[in-house]
Amino acid sequence: MSVEQSVQRLATGHASHLEDLNPAQKSAVTFGITDSGERFNTPALLVIAGAGTGKTKMLAHRVAHLILQGAHPGRILLLTFGRRMAGEMTRRVEHICAMALKGRAYVSAGSIDWSGTFHAIGAKLLRLHADSIGLNPGFSILDRSDAADLMDLVRDELGFSEARNRFPKKATCLSIYSYAVNAQAPVHEALARNFPWCTQWEEQLNRLFAAYVTTKQEQAVLDYDDLLLYWAKMMEIREIAQLVSNRFDHVLVDEYQDTNALQASILLGLKPDGAGLTVVGDDSQSIYSFRSARIQNILEFPTRFNPPAEIVTLEQNYRSSRPILAACNRIISHAAERYTKNLFSKRTGGSRPIISMVADEAAQVEFVVQRILANREAGMELREQAVLFRASHHSGQLEVELTRRNIPFVKFGGLKFLEASHVKDVLAVLRWAENPRDRVAGFRVLKLLPGIGPATARRALAAMDGEGHSLLALEHFRPHAGAAEMWPGLVGVMKDLGTSKRWAGQIERLRRWYDPMLELLYDSARMRLGDLDQLERMATQHTSRSSFLTDLTLHPPEASGDEAGPAVKDEDWLVLSTIHSAKGQEWGAVFVLNVVDGCIPSDLATNTPDEIEEERRLLYVAMTRAKDDLVLMQPLRFYVHGQALGADRHVYAPRSRFITEADLDAFDLVGMPGPHSTQADALCAASPPSVDLKATMRRMWA
């Protein structure tokens, strides 16, 4: 008797593995699965799994139930959006089977051979069928960095790097290419949707992408996007599609709301009639359209088949308290298009979420820090608390305050604020203006100009040394011809900042020179401008340039990269995260910053109704991360860049449009009267003695 037959016979007597499932989960797990032998087809199934409803548990149990009822593990395809999740799902399935069979039969490790991400499964299938589709079976796979470098090489060969106007950098070119491939959109459409500042280069980008594809083929390499594209195109060939489809009796897909047009077409090619296809997701958590994810995939899924796919909805939430769920349900109920669901919990107790109205962003930081520390004193660890925000730069002021108070934190979804290159550029300009002897700052600032390398920068600094370290010496310095056009702008801003006695308006003057440089220096210039707005807001809280620079550099952050790593010197740390990076996570207490129009929804994402609806789902995702304590922050005033000197540089922001007046009874409203202010200790006015400590320092090493 085979292992599969043994599994089937032993499992049919008593389904112990289903006992800890709620009715909706059990319905999703068992739908269409009957004890009908080794090969059986289940109808198409869509499981709408609300936040915190045990989606992973349900999906693992469905795979295990298929195996226990006779499905061959090797003929099950399980698609996830992360390698770690695929491994965890496989381990759960094997554990469920082992427990159900009381050790009498065991699904051996690795028996579910086809479990992984779309890209990993695509690579495996392409190698199997390479000879049939004209690929070299030994093709190499480029990671994102290698693909960007190859794109840059082709870009240079076509002469685009020498264009009179700035041509998009390699990372931007690759992002445009990737979006067009995954969204199955022509280049002009991809540019209009996500890269409007590059529309003038449409013709050149089409040429670049054609040459990039040719180069990859000549070198027998595929990039990540090719793994999906070749798989999708392979499924359009009837004979090959039949071979691939016949390999799998059951296809199960996690996080279906995050799939793009290419992935949806792959699934339809695998199971055109929907038989054996199960997809799981939550339309209310579809927040990745910028990665070409398409919410219509999950909304339209049932009608893709005849008869339509069955829908099972999971609504019992195991994460959040009842009052938090009530508020979340209110917010998402206003969505224009969705599957109706109302999350509920059997947990008792819990307080209503809070909307905290504070005077400004400084008061917001003070409120959040005080409440975090109070939670910690009450027994909640820092790592059980999270501060979420729409854009990475929204946390800049908070990061500075946490650093000042020695509160360890880890940030996901962007660099720590003071480690971002463009922020360091602006601070270097200010430091050099404050102290022309600061060669490190001067070296960085000089090298910002195209055409100025280390040698020229050293000559310029030497010229300043020869004139008493005066910034005015820059007027007489003559750089190489490549930097001559932009040199007067740098000289002008350094002269103005170096001679000005008034702190107010200095960053605004600096930005008139630096903001246009962002386009030359970095990709994603629009997003970086938000960081500089935040820096300018922070500057208004200081009375001098020296005070501002000293405050920011006393405790420089050590972490850098796409994710700031954990605070390894502490056993506990606070979590800061963009909402996008927080999806799938949960914390005891959650604070959401800047729940006002202009931030949530972002003023950069209100051009179309679809964008606004995705912003609503972002707020919903943020709120549903909280288990016991949820605070939405509403600053009443925001500092704005660009107002005339002497005018009020603040604007008043309304509460997010996603929280209507009728929804307020689901929240507790908390206000903080009076403007936020800080007090400094007075300095002693007595004249100090005259001591040459510099000589003392030199003698230490004599």
Side-chain angles (χ1 to χ4, degrees), residues 672-693:
M672 290 184 66
H676 175 78
S677 61
T678 59
Q679 295 181 342
D681 294 330
L683 296 175
C684 178
S687 298
S690 177
V691 181
D692 185 4
L693 286 181

Side-chain angles (χ1 to χ4, degrees), residues 387 389 391-399 402 408-420 531 534 559-567 573-578 581:
V387 182
F389 31 86
S392 182
H393 65 265
H394 289 177
S395 68
Q397 201 161 341
L398 175 63
E399 292 178 45
L402 292 171
F409 66 92
V410 56
K411 181 178 179 182
F412 298 95
L415 290 169
K416 284 188 175 182
F417 181 69
L418 296 181
E419 279 295 303
D531 288 336
Q534 182 71 268
S560 63
D562 289 336
E563 292 183 355
W573 55 83
L574 179 70
V575 176
L576 309 186
S577 176
T578 61
S581 296

Side-chain angles (χ1 to χ4, degrees), residues 552-590:
L552 287 185
T553 55
L554 276 176
H555 304 285
E558 296 178 358
S560 63
D562 289 336
E563 292 183 355
V568 294
K569 294 181 181 179
D570 284 87
E571 74 283 358
D572 195 16
W573 55 83
L574 179 70
V575 176
L576 309 186
S577 176
T578 61
I579 300 173
H580 285 100
S581 296
K583 186 169 173 289
Q585 305 299 314
E586 60 181 40
W587 294 274
V590 170

